[in-house]
Amino acid sequence: MFTDCLLLHQSPGIPELGLMGEPLIRQALEAGPETVVFCGHTHWDTSLVQLENGTQIVNADSKLFILTRYIS
C-alpha cells in the first residue's frame, strides 16, 4: 500500500535550493514511492518543490489547504 499524500509539521531540508528543514525527512521521502507532502513549519520562499523521484512537497507557509475527496 502506498500513501497518496502525507501531512507533516516539519519541512524536509533541500539545501541546494536554499530551503531549510530536516535532511532526514528528505532522505526518507526520496527512498520511498512518489507522493504529495504537505508541510509548513519552516518558511520557504517557494510553495512547491518536486524531488527526483516525483514526490511533490507543498509548503503551507501562511497558506490554507482544503482537501476534498474526489470520486470518479
Side-chain angles (χ1 to χ4, degrees), residues 1-38:
M1 175 183 265
F2 297 105
T3 303
D4 293 324
C5 67
L6 179 62
L7 179 62
L8 299 174
H9 174 77
Q10 181 66 304
S11 302
I14 307 177
E16 66 271 19
L17 297 178
L19 304 174
M20 302 300 291
E22 292 295 323
L24 292 177
I25 294 174
R26 179 187 176 169
Q27 289 174 6
L29 292 173
E30 288 178 324
E34 177 181 336
T35 191
V36 177
V37 179
F38 298 94

Side-chain angles (χ1 to χ4, degrees), residues 4 22 45 48-49 56:
D4 293 324
E22 292 295 323
D45 290 333
L48 177 64
V49 172
Q56 294 181 341

